Amino acid sequence: MATAQPKSPSATPVISGFGRALIQNKRVTEAVCVEAMQAAAGNNNQFILELVKHKAGTALEFAEFASETFGYPLLDISRYDSGAVAKDAIDAKLRDKHQVVPLLCRQNRLTLAIADPSNLRVVDEVRFQTGLQVDLVVAEADKIERYLQQLASGTVADTLKELTAESGAENVHMESDDDGIPGDDDAGVEDAPVVRFIQKVLMDAINHGSSDIHFEPYEKFYRIRTRTDGQLREISKVPLNLREKIAARLKVVSRLDIAERRIPQDGRMKLVLSRSKAIDFRVSTLPTLHGEKIVLRILDPSSAMLGIDALGYEPDQRKALLHAIQRPYGMVLVTGPTGSGKTVSLYTCLNILNTEDVNISTAEDPAEINLPGINQVNMNDKAGLTFAAALRSFLRHDPDIIMVGEIRDLETAEIAVKAAQTGHMVLSTLHTNDAPTTLERLRNMGVAPFNIASSVILITAQRLARRLCSCKQKISVPREALLEAGFTEEDLADTSWTLYGPKGCERCNGSGYKGRVGIYQVMPITEEMTRIIMTGGNSNDVADQAQKEGVRDLRQSGLLKVKQGVTSLAEVLACTNE
């Protein structure tokens, strides 16, 4: 009689202590447990990860079960600084084979993170190899796997070192905008990679012509984005456990309170590139759900030195603006939404007017670009230094030219108007859609029509459109679409211009655009416009009169840039949406 052959041990694997506990607590069935163990043996994978694949539960659920069942503390290992682990306490092969992380080695004890604390054979092997007593903590299996991959590819410091390699960041250093705080010398050895990484991010943003850098913490990741030519783009993701170090470093250099994380803070810092070159940054922090978001505005002083020709004004617009700002008194207003280049336009005008024989004072919130020879004042509402208070003080300092960062209320508007009426040139900004609506905005604030008519001499509305890269290509657009966009029959009959669109190359990173150009509506206040204002006319009446006098609105100025091949029709339609 033939006897039955015993089954191979591999056919029915012995269920581990963790598996038996799951079955006893009816968390999984025995069939699922056996199937997962067989798959783990065949794939050389963790048993718990195979259970997750079989949808028996999540890695976090199994970690919580192990912690509760076997009595070991639960640790979120993703928040543990990988640069501080005792990775050399045990052999890397043993560490990777059993999927354990040596967290801390102190005296004769080793703290070990493990997903399955019932696997005493692993504990015995580690104890035998190291001669240390082993203390266990439970961690999620998937996070242990990712953590070990990170250790295998290098520590966080090594990763950041690779990111900063060949960036030139070692030749620059960050420092406070004030002289009283040290730069990189105060950084500890442990934080040095973070310092170099931040410097690389700043250098890359400057080299790419970015205007802002966003450091953004989220629940599962920490990303860094830059705004270049008006478009946000992600440039890096860093380990989540570095968010506090990055935030602390930026706050220290910006002279902010590193212990205060509940309220927004504002500060300044600079990146010293050489003895003669430094870039200033305006730093703003904002408490979010998962940490502090930090935004850096790049303030390049050279942008104010470009000259009015580089900003994109048409010859007739430039002539009108220069004529207005060189008059002995009156008010010139620059309008547009946030990020439309109003500050650069104002600073360019101030730079033109900044001569030895004039006294210029500015009230700003905050002063973004330092201009030697101009008395710049930062607003401080908490201390009582408001725009209105600064303007009153300016008038006692014998000014020739006054620049107000923004007219926000009636009090500021009335003082600015009186200054313009009493022999001072006043430059300021307002947030309005176009030049004609600026007059109505002042009237809605409460400024009397007579005061508006007798003080405002010119209004400039502006937008920024992306310039086409040199790789631009000819495109064809249906005639109906061109007419709808605002081109006239005469424009379409003219064959001397060509319609271009973006193509994309290495120089523009495939976007088809490189840099930005201003689109302007420059509206001098004429006698007829003054009459309309005095008789209670609205912004539509002023706009109609401006058209009669040949003032191009924003869309018409944008279409002129399209005809010149400077930008695309799609870009003009996007930034002059009517």
Side-chain angles (χ1 to χ4, degrees):
M1 181 176 176
T3 59
Q5 295 294 323
K7 292 183 179 180
S8 169
S10 60
T12 54
V14 178
I15 297 175
S16 68
F18 187 72
R20 287 196 301 271
L22 288 170
I23 295 169
Q24 290 170 3
N25 285 272
K26 298 182 180 181
R27 301 293 293 268
V28 298
T29 64
E30 184 174 351
V32 170
C33 197
V34 170
E35 188 177 348
M37 293 199 72
Q38 289 175 334
N43 300 334
N44 194 27
N45 196 12
Q46 292 188 69
F47 167 54
I48 293 175
L49 291 182
E50 288 296 338
L51 285 174
V52 174
K53 284 184 180 180
H54 284 74
K55 299 183 179 179
T58 65
L60 177 58
E61 290 172 345
F62 289 126
E64 290 173 341
F65 174 80
S67 174
E68 182 179 347
T69 302
F70 297 101
Y72 294 103
L74 178 64
L75 173 71
D76 183 358
I77 198 171
S78 67
R79 297 180 180 274
Y80 196 89
D81 185 359
S82 60
V85 299
K87 66 173 186 174
D88 297 326
I90 63 175
D91 184 72
K93 291 183 180 179
L94 178 65
R95 183 183 71 201
D96 296 336
K97 174 185 174 183
H98 295 302
Q99 294 289 288
V100 293
V101 179
L103 298 176
L104 179 66
C105 184
R106 182 171 295 170
Q107 295 180 348
N108 66 334
R109 306 195 73 86
L110 175 67
T111 302
L112 200 67
I114 190 169
D116 180 5
S118 70
N119 194 346
L120 299 179
R121 184 168 61 88
V122 176
V123 178
D124 290 338
E125 281 191 46
V126 172
R127 186 184 296 120
F128 176 78
Q129 186 191 84
T130 63
L132 301 172
Q133 294 297 317
V134 177
D135 299 321
L136 295 182
V137 295
V138 177
E140 297 155 69
D142 56 344
K143 289 185 178 180
I144 287 179
E145 184 178 55
R146 289 196 297 269
Y147 206 86
L148 289 173
Q149 290 172 354
Q150 184 181 354
L151 290 178
S153 62
T155 62
V156 171
D158 295 333
T159 304
L160 296 182
K161 186 176 180 180
E162 292 174 6
L163 288 171
T164 56
E166 300 179 3
S167 68
E170 68 277 4
N171 297 322
V172 302
H173 68 275
M174 293 182 295
E175 63 181 37
S176 168
D177 210 33
D178 300 320
D179 295 330
I181 194 162
D184 295 343
D185 295 337
D186 69 328
V189 175
E190 185 181 358
D191 289 340
V194 174
V195 173
R196 290 195 296 272
F197 174 67
I198 293 174
Q199 289 176 179
K200 184 209 182 297
V201 171
L202 302 186
M203 285 297 299
D204 285 350
I206 293 168
N207 292 334
H208 286 97
S210 301
S211 60
D212 302 270
I213 309 171
H214 296 243
F215 295 84
E216 302 174 316
Y218 296 94
E219 183 180 9
K220 301 293 185 182
F221 60 93
Y222 188 97
R223 73 178 176 185
I224 301 172
R225 296 190 292 172
T226 59
R227 187 180 294 278
T228 306
D229 296 338
Q231 305 294 309
L232 271 175
R233 181 174 63 92
E234 182 179 302
I235 61 166
S236 180
K237 278 187 178 177
V238 297
L240 192 61
N241 54 15
L242 282 180
R243 60 185 172 185
E244 284 83 10
K245 286 188 175 182
I246 291 174
R249 177 61 187 172
L250 291 172
K251 289 168 73 174
V252 164
V253 179
S254 306
R255 304 204 74 172
L256 302 179
D257 184 355
I258 62 172
E260 181 56 78
R261 302 177 182 177
R262 301 165 298 173
I263 60 174
Q265 298 186 69
D266 293 299
R268 291 175 71 97
M269 55 176 272
K270 67 171 60 176
L271 190 69
V272 180
L273 306 177
S274 66
R275 291 183 179 180
S276 59
K277 177 72 171 176
I279 303 293
D280 291 329
F281 295 83
R282 190 177 72 199
V283 183
S284 178
T285 72
L286 178 69
T288 67
L289 198 60
H290 303 290
E292 285 184 289
K293 175 178 178 177
I294 301 178
V295 176
L296 274 58
R297 167 64 59 89
I298 301 174
L299 309 172
D300 188 354
S302 61
S303 62
M305 310 300 175
L306 292 174
I308 198 167
D309 294 333
L311 298 184
Y313 286 96
E314 298 300 328
D316 58 329
Q317 295 175 334
R318 182 171 62 249
K319 181 179 179 182
L321 178 61
L322 291 175
H323 174 71
I325 64 174
Q326 288 170 349
R327 288 173 63 174
Y329 58 88
M331 182 185 292
V332 173
L333 296 173
V334 180
T335 73
T338 300
S340 60
K342 300 188 298 296
T343 301
V344 172
S345 293
L346 280 178
Y347 277 121
T348 301
C349 292
L350 289 176
N351 197 48
I352 293 171
L353 299 171
N354 186 17
T355 59
E356 183 181 354
D357 57 337
V358 297
N359 177 21
I360 304 176
S361 295
T362 72
E364 305 172 67
D365 186 21
E368 296 192 354
I369 298 174
N370 180 29
L371 290 178
I374 293 177
N375 307 293
Q376 296 173 272
V377 180
N378 271 330
M379 297 302 93
N380 187 343
D381 289 341
K382 290 182 180 179
L385 181 55
T386 62
F387 282 118
L391 278 174
R392 289 194 193 93
S393 180
F394 287 170
L395 295 177
R396 293 190 288 270
H397 282 246
D398 184 33
D400 297 300
I401 300 166
I402 296 172
M403 193 272 272
V404 186
E406 182 184 351
I407 294 178
R408 298 176 178 173
D409 51 48
L410 176 59
E411 185 181 15
T412 305
E414 286 184 334
I415 299 173
V417 165
K418 289 177 182 177
Q421 291 172 333
T422 55
H424 306 90
M425 171 54 62
V426 179
L427 309 178
S428 189
T429 69
L430 275 173
H431 286 88
T432 56
N433 291 328
D434 58 15
T437 56
T438 303
L439 298 169
E440 197 163 326
R441 168 74 173 137
L442 287 172
R443 193 168 58 190
N444 291 339
M445 276 186 178
V447 181
F450 171 80
N451 286 331
I452 297 173
S454 61
S455 59
V456 181
I457 59 175
L458 182 135
I459 303 173
T460 295
Q462 64 183 74
R463 300 289 189 276
L464 288 179
R466 290 182 292 172
R467 286 181 181 269
L468 284 168
C469 179
S470 56
C471 65
K472 63 186 178 183
Q473 59 184 352
K474 294 181 181 179
I475 61 171
S476 60
V477 175
R479 179 185 182 87
E480 295 75 14
L482 294 175
L483 290 171
E484 186 178 351
F487 285 108
T488 64
E489 292 287 355
E490 291 76 13
D491 291 329
L492 301 185
D494 183 3
T495 59
S496 63
W497 63 277
T498 304
L499 197 63
Y500 289 97
K503 180 180 180 181
C505 65
E506 184 176 342
R507 181 173 177 267
C508 60
N509 293 320
S511 68
Y513 297 95
K514 187 70 175 177
R516 288 193 287 179
V517 64
I519 296 175
Y520 303 93
Q521 179 186 23
V522 179
M523 188 179 79
I525 305 301
T526 61
E527 290 184 7
E528 186 58 32
M529 289 184 190
T530 299
R531 188 191 62 78
I532 293 173
I533 297 168
M534 294 286 290
T535 56
N538 59 30
S539 59
N540 291 331
D541 298 328
V542 175
D544 291 341
Q545 180 61 32
Q547 286 287 314
K548 292 178 183 177
E549 296 179 5
V551 175
R552 289 183 295 275
D553 62 22
L554 288 167
R555 174 61 63 83
Q556 292 167 337
S557 294
L559 295 179
L560 186 56
K561 291 286 190 293
V562 173
K563 291 176 66 176
Q564 295 168 352
V566 175
T567 188
S568 67
L569 179 60
E571 188 70 10
V572 168
L573 295 179
C575 67
T576 62
N577 190 19
E578 296 179 347

